């Protein structure tokens, strides 16, 4: 066979699975910055972090979230190994945290039990604006606090968090859907009403009529809205205790100066919710075109622990979409974080001094500078060009006639000025041109407990608003 007869097939082009995306350095840095802010705030509120496996027993969500929910019905990713089934990628945090609470005996701890999480979630939902099949979520869970004040606290946390990171284009919606006994009465009344209009409902609402009739109230289908408008009013069906609980939640929000709107059709999409439910909705016109997009939401779930085999322990929580928050901040013009680039480049006029370059770089790194090394044997001019292309602000030069005998050159690549300095003084000289970054350290208790300021560590200095 002649060479001309050989057919060269193109290499396959691989892409991320539909509905997922890569976090490139700038976006990954933004996620890290947001996590630092959320986690520091959670610790200030007394919520330590918990982390659960990405894979869970499917029954955790069937029993916890509800078999009639969209998540369990058609959004969960089933996984298995060598014929072992019954596992799923975690679609939401609350049921998984509750499983961990019971399995590890945390429900026996002094109450209330407060927990914070920051995890990736997976749902096989139709990809659309700000909705991904792998997404990141932060959340707070509070067990053993039936008081309305616990609902107020988690709403206050989310409201303050959004303000802290600079988001302004949102509004808070709240409602109550009653406790479990009252919900049973609600479902009977609503079921009787919607059954009379079954044929006029959308296909999705017809399914919900047989699974969880409350979810019909949440329908955005135009053919459902007119029917929903004539449905029995939630406030007229609620039990007195539920009305009292919700009134105290509203009073708490008002006293804290948190603006909110009561939306009687707000029910949330998970079957475990009882009484208070809340959502923070984006109000930016670009996002409102796609309907209501929630940046955070939650509510009370007083029967969930019992559903998963535990005691009759109350619960309330809230979760926020990190991806939604990130893109909403970008839409507002808030810079969450810059791409983390090396500020300092170590270069040399000698091609064979790799170890020497590292010996120059490491003391700078230890003192908190971001330092990269050009290991090439290219000319010094080419190395400096590369440093500029990589965004370095300073070049530390060795291996030239001026930079020998314990001397180095520190060149400011932006101001185009340089100074010869001793190796022992290079940290000080570099510090005149570029900032240092705090080095992560394991926490150690202070010698004097009075010197410790709770919440002072772990704050993220990256959130800035270019309008300031």
């Amino acid at each position: 066979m002649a060479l001309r007869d050989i057919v060269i097939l193109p290499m396959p082009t691989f892409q991320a699975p539909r509905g997922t995306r890569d976090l490139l350095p700038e976006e990954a840095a933004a996620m890290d910055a947001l996590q630092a802010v959320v986690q520091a705030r959670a610790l200030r509120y007394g919520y330590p972090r918990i982390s659960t496996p990405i894979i869970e027993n499917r029954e955790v969500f069937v029993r916890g979230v509800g078999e009639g929910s969209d998540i369990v019905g058609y959004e969960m990713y089933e996984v298995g190994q060598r014929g072992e089934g019954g596992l799923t990628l975690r679609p939401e945090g609350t049921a998984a945290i509750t499983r961990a609470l019971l399995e590890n005996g945390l429900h026996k701890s002094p109450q209330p039990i407060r927990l914070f999480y920051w995890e990736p979630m997976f749902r096989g939902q139709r990809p659309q604006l700000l909705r991904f099949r792998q997404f990141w979520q932060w959340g707070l869970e509070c067990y053993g606090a039936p008081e309305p004040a616990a609902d107020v606290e988690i709403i206050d946390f989310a409201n303050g968090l959004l303000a802290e990171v600079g988001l302004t284009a949102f509004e808070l919606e709240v409602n109550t859907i009653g406790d479990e006994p009252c919900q049973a009465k609600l479902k009977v009344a609503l079921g009787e009403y919607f059954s009379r209009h079954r044929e006029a409902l959308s296909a999705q609402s017809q399914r919900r009529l047989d699974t969880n009739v409350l979810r019909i109230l949440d329908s955005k289908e135009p053919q459902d809205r007119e029917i929903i408008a004539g449905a029995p009013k939630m406030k007229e069906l609620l039990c007195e205790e539920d009305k009292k609980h919700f009134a105290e939640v509203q009073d708490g929000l008002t006293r804290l100066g948190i603006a909110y709107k009561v939306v009687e059709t707000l029910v949330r999409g998970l079957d475990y919710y009882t009484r208070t439910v809340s959502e923070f909705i984006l109000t930016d016109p670009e996002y409102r075109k796609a309907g209501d997009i929630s940046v955070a939401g939650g509510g009370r779930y007083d029967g969930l622990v019992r559903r998963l085999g535990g005691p009759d322990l109350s619960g309330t929580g809230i979760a926020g979409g990190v991806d939604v928050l990130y893109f909403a901040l970008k839409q507002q013009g808030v810079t969450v974080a810059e791409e983390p680039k090396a500020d300092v480049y170590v270069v040399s006029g000698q091609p064979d001094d790799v170890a020497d370059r590292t010996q120059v770089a490491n003391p700078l790194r230890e003192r908190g500078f971001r330092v990269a090394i050009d290991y090439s044997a290219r000319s010094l001019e080419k190395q400096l060009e590369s440093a500029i292309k990589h965004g370095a602000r300073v070049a530390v030069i060795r291996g030239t006639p001026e930079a020998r005998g314990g001397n180095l050159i520190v060149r400011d690549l932006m101001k185009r000025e340089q100074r010869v300095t001793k190796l022992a003084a290079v940290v000080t000289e570099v510090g005149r041109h570029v900032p240092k970054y705090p080095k992560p350290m394991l926490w150690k208790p202070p010698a004097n407990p009075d010197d410790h300021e709770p919440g002072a560590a772990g704050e993220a200095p990256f959130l800035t608003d270019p309008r300031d």
Side-chain angles (χ1 to χ4, degrees), residues 347-379:
V347 299
S348 178
Q350 293 180 304
D352 57 350
D353 64 346
V354 172
D356 293 332
R357 299 185 208 194
T358 303
Q359 288 175 348
V360 170
N362 282 350
L364 290 165
R365 291 166 172 161
E366 289 299 317
R367 295 297 294 271
F369 297 102
R370 297 172 177 172
V371 185
I373 301 172
D374 191 319
Y375 289 116
S376 72
R378 295 175 297 178
S379 68

PDB file of all heavy atoms in Angstrom, residues 347-379:
ATOM      1  N   VAL A 347      14.083  34.304  36.764  1.00  0.00           N
ATOM      2  CA  VAL A 347      14.732  34.005  35.486  1.00  0.00           C
ATOM      3  C   VAL A 347      16.240  34.053  35.688  1.00  0.00           C
ATOM      4  O   VAL A 347      16.736  34.536  36.712  1.00  0.00           O
ATOM      5  CB  VAL A 347      14.302  35.011  34.398  1.00  0.00           C
ATOM      6  CG1 VAL A 347      12.785  34.948  34.178  1.00  0.00           C
ATOM      7  CG2 VAL A 347      14.707  36.433  34.775  1.00  0.00           C
ATOM      8  N   SER A 348      16.977  33.559  34.698  1.00  0.00           N
ATOM      9  CA  SER A 348      18.437  33.505  34.850  1.00  0.00           C
ATOM     10  C   SER A 348      19.128  33.575  33.498  1.00  0.00           C
ATOM     11  O   SER A 348      18.605  33.087  32.493  1.00  0.00           O
ATOM     12  CB  SER A 348      18.848  32.222  35.568  1.00  0.00           C
ATOM     13  OG  SER A 348      20.257  32.141  35.674  1.00  0.00           O
ATOM     14  N   GLY A 349      20.307  34.186  33.511  1.00  0.00           N
ATOM     15  CA  GLY A 349      21.133  34.225  32.306  1.00  0.00           C
ATOM     16  C   GLY A 349      22.013  33.001  32.168  1.00  0.00           C
ATOM     17  O   GLY A 349      22.744  32.875  31.187  1.00  0.00           O
ATOM     18  N   GLN A 350      21.968  32.092  33.147  1.00  0.00           N
ATOM     19  CA  GLN A 350      22.747  30.858  33.099  1.00  0.00           C
ATOM     20  C   GLN A 350      21.801  29.680  32.862  1.00  0.00           C
ATOM     21  O   GLN A 350      20.866  29.470  33.642  1.00  0.00           O
ATOM     22  CB  GLN A 350      23.522  30.637  34.395  1.00  0.00           C
ATOM     23  CG  GLN A 350      24.624  31.665  34.622  1.00  0.00           C
ATOM     24  CD  GLN A 350      25.363  31.408  35.926  1.00  0.00           C
ATOM     25  OE1 GLN A 350      24.753  31.343  36.980  1.00  0.00           O
ATOM     26  NE2 GLN A 350      26.681  31.277  35.830  1.00  0.00           N
ATOM     27  N   PRO A 351      22.020  28.906  31.791  1.00  0.00           N
ATOM     28  CA  PRO A 351      21.067  27.842  31.457  1.00  0.00           C
ATOM     29  C   PRO A 351      21.098  26.635  32.385  1.00  0.00           C
ATOM     30  O   PRO A 351      20.191  25.825  32.374  1.00  0.00           O
ATOM     31  CB  PRO A 351      21.477  27.444  30.036  1.00  0.00           C
ATOM     32  CG  PRO A 351      22.930  27.793  29.957  1.00  0.00           C
ATOM     33  CD  PRO A 351      23.104  29.019  30.806  1.00  0.00           C
ATOM     34  N   ASP A 352      22.130  26.477  33.194  1.00  0.00           N
ATOM     35  CA  ASP A 352      22.298  25.238  33.955  1.00  0.00           C
ATOM     36  C   ASP A 352      22.160  25.441  35.468  1.00  0.00           C
ATOM     37  O   ASP A 352      22.727  24.681  36.252  1.00  0.00           O
ATOM     38  CB  ASP A 352      23.666  24.621  33.646  1.00  0.00           C
ATOM     39  CG  ASP A 352      24.821  25.578  33.934  1.00  0.00           C
ATOM     40  OD1 ASP A 352      24.535  26.771  34.193  1.00  0.00           O
ATOM     41  OD2 ASP A 352      25.983  25.134  33.910  1.00  0.00           O
ATOM     42  N   ASP A 353      21.423  26.443  35.902  1.00  0.00           N
ATOM     43  CA  ASP A 353      21.338  26.725  37.349  1.00  0.00           C
ATOM     44  C   ASP A 353      19.916  26.528  37.866  1.00  0.00           C
ATOM     45  O   ASP A 353      19.381  27.353  38.588  1.00  0.00           O
ATOM     46  CB  ASP A 353      21.831  28.134  37.653  1.00  0.00           C
ATOM     47  CG  ASP A 353      20.945  29.203  37.016  1.00  0.00           C
ATOM     48  OD1 ASP A 353      20.130  28.842  36.147  1.00  0.00           O
ATOM     49  OD2 ASP A 353      21.051  30.379  37.404  1.00  0.00           O
ATOM     50  N   VAL A 354      19.308  25.399  37.496  1.00  0.00           N
ATOM     51  CA  VAL A 354      17.924  25.122  37.895  1.00  0.00           C
ATOM     52  C   VAL A 354      17.766  25.163  39.412  1.00  0.00           C
ATOM     53  O   VAL A 354      16.844  25.778  39.950  1.00  0.00           O
ATOM     54  CB  VAL A 354      17.478  23.753  37.343  1.00  0.00           C
ATOM     55  CG1 VAL A 354      16.117  23.377  37.910  1.00  0.00           C
ATOM     56  CG2 VAL A 354      17.418  23.797  35.823  1.00  0.00           C
ATOM     57  N   ALA A 355      18.658  24.497  40.134  1.00  0.00           N
ATOM     58  CA  ALA A 355      18.554  24.462  41.599  1.00  0.00           C
ATOM     59  C   ALA A 355      18.716  25.849  42.194  1.00  0.00           C
ATOM     60  O   ALA A 355      18.039  26.205  43.169  1.00  0.00           O
ATOM     61  CB  ALA A 355      19.598  23.504  42.179  1.00  0.00           C
ATOM     62  N   ASP A 356      19.593  26.664  41.593  1.00  0.00           N
ATOM     63  CA  ASP A 356      19.802  28.010  42.117  1.00  0.00           C
ATOM     64  C   ASP A 356      18.531  28.855  41.972  1.00  0.00           C
ATOM     65  O   ASP A 356      18.202  29.656  42.840  1.00  0.00           O
ATOM     66  CB  ASP A 356      20.965  28.684  41.385  1.00  0.00           C
ATOM     67  CG  ASP A 356      22.302  28.006  41.681  1.00  0.00           C
ATOM     68  OD1 ASP A 356      22.431  27.430  42.773  1.00  0.00           O
ATOM     69  OD2 ASP A 356      23.199  28.042  40.825  1.00  0.00           O
ATOM     70  N   ARG A 357      17.834  28.693  40.874  1.00  0.00           N
ATOM     71  CA  ARG A 357      16.594  29.449  40.683  1.00  0.00           C
ATOM     72  C   ARG A 357      15.562  29.050  41.751  1.00  0.00           C
ATOM     73  O   ARG A 357      14.856  29.904  42.282  1.00  0.00           O
ATOM     74  CB  ARG A 357      16.022  29.194  39.286  1.00  0.00           C
ATOM     75  CG  ARG A 357      16.950  29.609  38.165  1.00  0.00           C
ATOM     76  CD  ARG A 357      16.291  29.440  36.800  1.00  0.00           C
ATOM     77  NE  ARG A 357      17.310  29.179  35.768  1.00  0.00           N
ATOM     78  CZ  ARG A 357      17.100  29.247  34.460  1.00  0.00           C
ATOM     79  NH1 ARG A 357      15.898  29.570  34.016  1.00  0.00           N
ATOM     80  NH2 ARG A 357      18.056  28.991  33.589  1.00  0.00           N
ATOM     81  N   THR A 358      15.501  27.763  42.035  1.00  0.00           N
ATOM     82  CA  THR A 358      14.566  27.292  43.068  1.00  0.00           C
ATOM     83  C   THR A 358      14.941  27.838  44.434  1.00  0.00           C
ATOM     84  O   THR A 358      14.062  28.204  45.234  1.00  0.00           O
ATOM     85  CB  THR A 358      14.550  25.759  43.097  1.00  0.00           C
ATOM     86  OG1 THR A 358      14.212  25.268  41.802  1.00  0.00           O
ATOM     87  CG2 THR A 358      13.534  25.242  44.104  1.00  0.00           C
ATOM     88  N   GLN A 359      16.234  27.925  44.718  1.00  0.00           N
ATOM     89  CA  GLN A 359      16.686  28.460  46.000  1.00  0.00           C
ATOM     90  C   GLN A 359      16.338  29.938  46.143  1.00  0.00           C
ATOM     91  O   GLN A 359      16.149  30.432  47.252  1.00  0.00           O
ATOM     92  CB  GLN A 359      18.193  28.254  46.152  1.00  0.00           C
ATOM     93  CG  GLN A 359      18.579  26.797  46.392  1.00  0.00           C
ATOM     94  CD  GLN A 359      20.079  26.582  46.431  1.00  0.00           C
ATOM     95  OE1 GLN A 359      20.846  27.479  46.061  1.00  0.00           O
ATOM     96  NE2 GLN A 359      20.503  25.411  46.872  1.00  0.00           N
ATOM     97  N   VAL A 360      16.212  30.646  45.021  1.00  0.00           N
ATOM     98  CA  VAL A 360      15.781  32.043  45.063  1.00  0.00           C
ATOM     99  C   VAL A 360      14.262  32.119  45.265  1.00  0.00           C
ATOM    100  O   VAL A 360      13.750  32.935  46.030  1.00  0.00           O
ATOM    101  CB  VAL A 360      16.177  32.763  43.751  1.00  0.00           C
ATOM    102  CG1 VAL A 360      15.523  34.150  43.694  1.00  0.00           C
ATOM    103  CG2 VAL A 360      17.680  32.888  43.648  1.00  0.00           C
ATOM    104  N   ALA A 361      13.531  31.228  44.586  1.00  0.00           N
ATOM    105  CA  ALA A 361      12.070  31.289  44.606  1.00  0.00           C
ATOM    106  C   ALA A 361      11.472  30.869  45.943  1.00  0.00           C
ATOM    107  O   ALA A 361      10.503  31.476  46.419  1.00  0.00           O
ATOM    108  CB  ALA A 361      11.507  30.417  43.492  1.00  0.00           C
ATOM    109  N   ASN A 362      12.001  29.818  46.549  1.00  0.00           N
ATOM    110  CA  ASN A 362      11.353  29.243  47.736  1.00  0.00           C
ATOM    111  C   ASN A 362      11.240  30.193  48.922  1.00  0.00           C
ATOM    112  O   ASN A 362      10.189  30.229  49.584  1.00  0.00           O
ATOM    113  CB  ASN A 362      12.052  27.949  48.134  1.00  0.00           C
ATOM    114  CG  ASN A 362      11.645  26.778  47.248  1.00  0.00           C
ATOM    115  OD1 ASN A 362      10.700  26.898  46.462  1.00  0.00           O
ATOM    116  ND2 ASN A 362      12.336  25.658  47.354  1.00  0.00           N
ATOM    117  N   PRO A 363      12.281  30.978  49.263  1.00  0.00           N
ATOM    118  CA  PRO A 363      12.101  31.927  50.385  1.00  0.00           C
ATOM    119  C   PRO A 363      10.985  32.930  50.115  1.00  0.00           C
ATOM    120  O   PRO A 363      10.268  33.329  51.040  1.00  0.00           O
ATOM    121  CB  PRO A 363      13.465  32.616  50.480  1.00  0.00           C
ATOM    122  CG  PRO A 363      14.432  31.639  49.887  1.00  0.00           C
ATOM    123  CD  PRO A 363      13.682  30.970  48.780  1.00  0.00           C
ATOM    124  N   LEU A 364      10.828  33.342  48.851  1.00  0.00           N
ATOM    125  CA  LEU A 364       9.755  34.260  48.501  1.00  0.00           C
ATOM    126  C   LEU A 364       8.392  33.581  48.668  1.00  0.00           C
ATOM    127  O   LEU A 364       7.435  34.178  49.171  1.00  0.00           O
ATOM    128  CB  LEU A 364       9.930  34.749  47.062  1.00  0.00           C
ATOM    129  CG  LEU A 364      11.115  35.686  46.822  1.00  0.00           C
ATOM    130  CD1 LEU A 364      11.398  35.808  45.327  1.00  0.00           C
ATOM    131  CD2 LEU A 364      10.848  37.063  47.422  1.00  0.00           C
ATOM    132  N   ARG A 365       8.312  32.333  48.243  1.00  0.00           N
ATOM    133  CA  ARG A 365       7.061  31.585  48.388  1.00  0.00           C
ATOM    134  C   ARG A 365       6.704  31.413  49.853  1.00  0.00           C
ATOM    135  O   ARG A 365       5.526  31.529  50.244  1.00  0.00           O
ATOM    136  CB  ARG A 365       7.198  30.218  47.719  1.00  0.00           C
ATOM    137  CG  ARG A 365       7.287  30.271  46.194  1.00  0.00           C
ATOM    138  CD  ARG A 365       7.763  28.967  45.611  1.00  0.00           C
ATOM    139  NE  ARG A 365       7.677  28.931  44.153  1.00  0.00           N
ATOM    140  CZ  ARG A 365       8.338  28.079  43.390  1.00  0.00           C
ATOM    141  NH1 ARG A 365       9.150  27.172  43.945  1.00  0.00           N
ATOM    142  NH2 ARG A 365       8.201  28.106  42.089  1.00  0.00           N
ATOM    143  N   GLU A 366       7.691  31.122  50.668  1.00  0.00           N
ATOM    144  CA  GLU A 366       7.440  30.919  52.093  1.00  0.00           C
ATOM    145  C   GLU A 366       6.931  32.180  52.774  1.00  0.00           C
ATOM    146  O   GLU A 366       6.231  32.113  53.776  1.00  0.00           O
ATOM    147  CB  GLU A 366       8.712  30.427  52.794  1.00  0.00           C
ATOM    148  CG  GLU A 366       9.106  29.006  52.441  1.00  0.00           C
ATOM    149  CD  GLU A 366       8.030  28.005  52.828  1.00  0.00           C
ATOM    150  OE1 GLU A 366       7.485  28.133  53.934  1.00  0.00           O
ATOM    151  OE2 GLU A 366       7.722  27.124  52.007  1.00  0.00           O
ATOM    152  N   ARG A 367       7.268  33.332  52.202  1.00  0.00           N
ATOM    153  CA  ARG A 367       6.826  34.597  52.787  1.00  0.00           C
ATOM    154  C   ARG A 367       5.514  35.089  52.186  1.00  0.00           C
ATOM    155  O   ARG A 367       5.069  36.184  52.507  1.00  0.00           O
ATOM    156  CB  ARG A 367       7.920  35.660  52.607  1.00  0.00           C
ATOM    157  CG  ARG A 367       9.206  35.351  53.377  1.00  0.00           C
ATOM    158  CD  ARG A 367       8.993  35.322  54.872  1.00  0.00           C
ATOM    159  NE  ARG A 367       8.643  36.621  55.375  1.00  0.00           N
ATOM    160  CZ  ARG A 367       9.524  37.536  55.773  1.00  0.00           C
ATOM    161  NH1 ARG A 367      10.827  37.249  55.737  1.00  0.00           N
ATOM    162  NH2 ARG A 367       9.132  38.703  56.218  1.00  0.00           N
ATOM    163  N   GLY A 368       4.888  34.274  51.316  1.00  0.00           N
ATOM    164  CA  GLY A 368       3.552  34.600  50.839  1.00  0.00           C
ATOM    165  C   GLY A 368       3.463  35.180  49.443  1.00  0.00           C
ATOM    166  O   GLY A 368       2.379  35.581  49.019  1.00  0.00           O
ATOM    167  N   PHE A 369       4.571  35.212  48.705  1.00  0.00           N
ATOM    168  CA  PHE A 369       4.518  35.703  47.335  1.00  0.00           C
ATOM    169  C   PHE A 369       4.190  34.560  46.375  1.00  0.00           C
ATOM    170  O   PHE A 369       4.539  33.409  46.620  1.00  0.00           O
ATOM    171  CB  PHE A 369       5.864  36.329  46.929  1.00  0.00           C
ATOM    172  CG  PHE A 369       6.240  37.540  47.728  1.00  0.00           C
ATOM    173  CD1 PHE A 369       7.184  37.460  48.744  1.00  0.00           C
ATOM    174  CD2 PHE A 369       5.635  38.765  47.482  1.00  0.00           C
ATOM    175  CE1 PHE A 369       7.530  38.566  49.494  1.00  0.00           C
ATOM    176  CE2 PHE A 369       5.982  39.883  48.227  1.00  0.00           C
ATOM    177  CZ  PHE A 369       6.921  39.787  49.234  1.00  0.00           C
ATOM    178  N   ARG A 370       3.512  34.896  45.265  1.00  0.00           N
ATOM    179  CA  ARG A 370       3.224  33.918  44.221  1.00  0.00           C
ATOM    180  C   ARG A 370       4.367  33.957  43.220  1.00  0.00           C
ATOM    181  O   ARG A 370       4.545  34.953  42.506  1.00  0.00           O
ATOM    182  CB  ARG A 370       1.898  34.250  43.535  1.00  0.00           C
ATOM    183  CG  ARG A 370       0.698  34.172  44.469  1.00  0.00           C
ATOM    184  CD  ARG A 370      -0.549  34.707  43.787  1.00  0.00           C
ATOM    185  NE  ARG A 370      -1.720  34.575  44.642  1.00  0.00           N
ATOM    186  CZ  ARG A 370      -2.896  35.093  44.374  1.00  0.00           C
ATOM    187  NH1 ARG A 370      -3.084  35.784  43.256  1.00  0.00           N
ATOM    188  NH2 ARG A 370      -3.915  34.929  45.198  1.00  0.00           N
ATOM    189  N   VAL A 371       5.111  32.872  43.144  1.00  0.00           N
ATOM    190  CA  VAL A 371       6.363  32.862  42.390  1.00  0.00           C
ATOM    191  C   VAL A 371       6.390  31.701  41.406  1.00  0.00           C
ATOM    192  O   VAL A 371       6.116  30.553  41.777  1.00  0.00           O
ATOM    193  CB  VAL A 371       7.585  32.764  43.332  1.00  0.00           C
ATOM    194  CG1 VAL A 371       8.890  32.890  42.540  1.00  0.00           C
ATOM    195  CG2 VAL A 371       7.520  33.827  44.420  1.00  0.00           C
ATOM    196  N   ALA A 372       6.720  31.980  40.150  1.00  0.00           N
ATOM    197  CA  ALA A 372       6.937  30.950  39.136  1.00  0.00           C
ATOM    198  C   ALA A 372       8.380  31.036  38.663  1.00  0.00           C
ATOM    199  O   ALA A 372       9.017  32.093  38.752  1.00  0.00           O
ATOM    200  CB  ALA A 372       5.986  31.124  37.969  1.00  0.00           C
ATOM    201  N   ILE A 373       8.881  29.924  38.159  1.00  0.00           N
ATOM    202  CA  ILE A 373      10.267  29.842  37.705  1.00  0.00           C
ATOM    203  C   ILE A 373      10.289  29.533  36.216  1.00  0.00           C
ATOM    204  O   ILE A 373       9.567  28.657  35.744  1.00  0.00           O
ATOM    205  CB  ILE A 373      11.039  28.749  38.465  1.00  0.00           C
ATOM    206  CG1 ILE A 373      11.027  29.027  39.965  1.00  0.00           C
ATOM    207  CG2 ILE A 373      12.468  28.643  37.957  1.00  0.00           C
ATOM    208  CD1 ILE A 373      11.611  27.902  40.795  1.00  0.00           C
ATOM    209  N   ASP A 374      11.120  30.259  35.476  1.00  0.00           N
ATOM    210  CA  ASP A 374      11.359  29.912  34.078  1.00  0.00           C
ATOM    211  C   ASP A 374      12.570  28.978  34.054  1.00  0.00           C
ATOM    212  O   ASP A 374      13.688  29.390  34.347  1.00  0.00           O
ATOM    213  CB  ASP A 374      11.632  31.172  33.253  1.00  0.00           C
ATOM    214  CG  ASP A 374      11.626  30.899  31.755  1.00  0.00           C
ATOM    215  OD1 ASP A 374      12.182  29.844  31.352  1.00  0.00           O
ATOM    216  OD2 ASP A 374      11.070  31.703  30.996  1.00  0.00           O
ATOM    217  N   TYR A 375      12.311  27.698  33.725  1.00  0.00           N
ATOM    218  CA  TYR A 375      13.387  26.711  33.747  1.00  0.00           C
ATOM    219  C   TYR A 375      14.116  26.586  32.409  1.00  0.00           C
ATOM    220  O   TYR A 375      15.022  25.771  32.268  1.00  0.00           O
ATOM    221  CB  TYR A 375      12.820  25.336  34.105  1.00  0.00           C
ATOM    222  CG  TYR A 375      12.374  25.225  35.547  1.00  0.00           C
ATOM    223  CD1 TYR A 375      11.043  25.020  35.874  1.00  0.00           C
ATOM    224  CD2 TYR A 375      13.302  25.336  36.574  1.00  0.00           C
ATOM    225  CE1 TYR A 375      10.632  24.914  37.188  1.00  0.00           C
ATOM    226  CE2 TYR A 375      12.913  25.237  37.897  1.00  0.00           C
ATOM    227  CZ  TYR A 375      11.573  25.033  38.197  1.00  0.00           C
ATOM    228  OH  TYR A 375      11.184  24.930  39.509  1.00  0.00           O
ATOM    229  N   SER A 376      13.704  27.354  31.411  1.00  0.00           N
ATOM    230  CA  SER A 376      14.221  27.155  30.065  1.00  0.00           C
ATOM    231  C   SER A 376      15.652  27.653  29.923  1.00  0.00           C
ATOM    232  O   SER A 376      16.165  28.395  30.767  1.00  0.00           O
ATOM    233  CB  SER A 376      13.331  27.874  29.046  1.00  0.00           C
ATOM    234  OG  SER A 376      13.508  29.283  29.146  1.00  0.00           O
ATOM    235  N   ALA A 377      16.265  27.248  28.824  1.00  0.00           N
ATOM    236  CA  ALA A 377      17.621  27.701  28.484  1.00  0.00           C
ATOM    237  C   ALA A 377      17.559  28.810  27.448  1.00  0.00           C
ATOM    238  O   ALA A 377      18.569  29.108  26.787  1.00  0.00           O
ATOM    239  CB  ALA A 377      18.446  26.524  27.960  1.00  0.00           C
ATOM    240  N   ARG A 378      16.385  29.421  27.279  1.00  0.00           N
ATOM    241  CA  ARG A 378      16.256  30.520  26.335  1.00  0.00           C
ATOM    242  C   ARG A 378      17.068  31.724  26.793  1.00  0.00           C
ATOM    243  O   ARG A 378      17.501  31.811  27.949  1.00  0.00           O
ATOM    244  CB  ARG A 378      14.787  30.918  26.191  1.00  0.00           C
ATOM    245  CG  ARG A 378      13.903  29.856  25.582  1.00  0.00           C
ATOM    246  CD  ARG A 378      12.444  30.285  25.589  1.00  0.00           C
ATOM    247  NE  ARG A 378      11.934  30.455  26.949  1.00  0.00           N
ATOM    248  CZ  ARG A 378      10.700  30.871  27.223  1.00  0.00           C
ATOM    249  NH1 ARG A 378       9.873  31.180  26.234  1.00  0.00           N
ATOM    250  NH2 ARG A 378      10.307  30.992  28.478  1.00  0.00           N
ATOM    251  N   SER A 379      17.207  32.675  25.907  1.00  0.00           N
ATOM    252  CA  SER A 379      17.928  33.891  26.264  1.00  0.00           C
ATOM    253  C   SER A 379      17.171  34.623  27.368  1.00  0.00           C
ATOM    254  O   SER A 379      15.955  34.457  27.536  1.00  0.00           O
ATOM    255  CB  SER A 379      18.060  34.807  25.046  1.00  0.00           C
ATOM    256  OG  SER A 379      16.790  35.317  24.657  1.00  0.00           O
TER     257      SER A 379
END
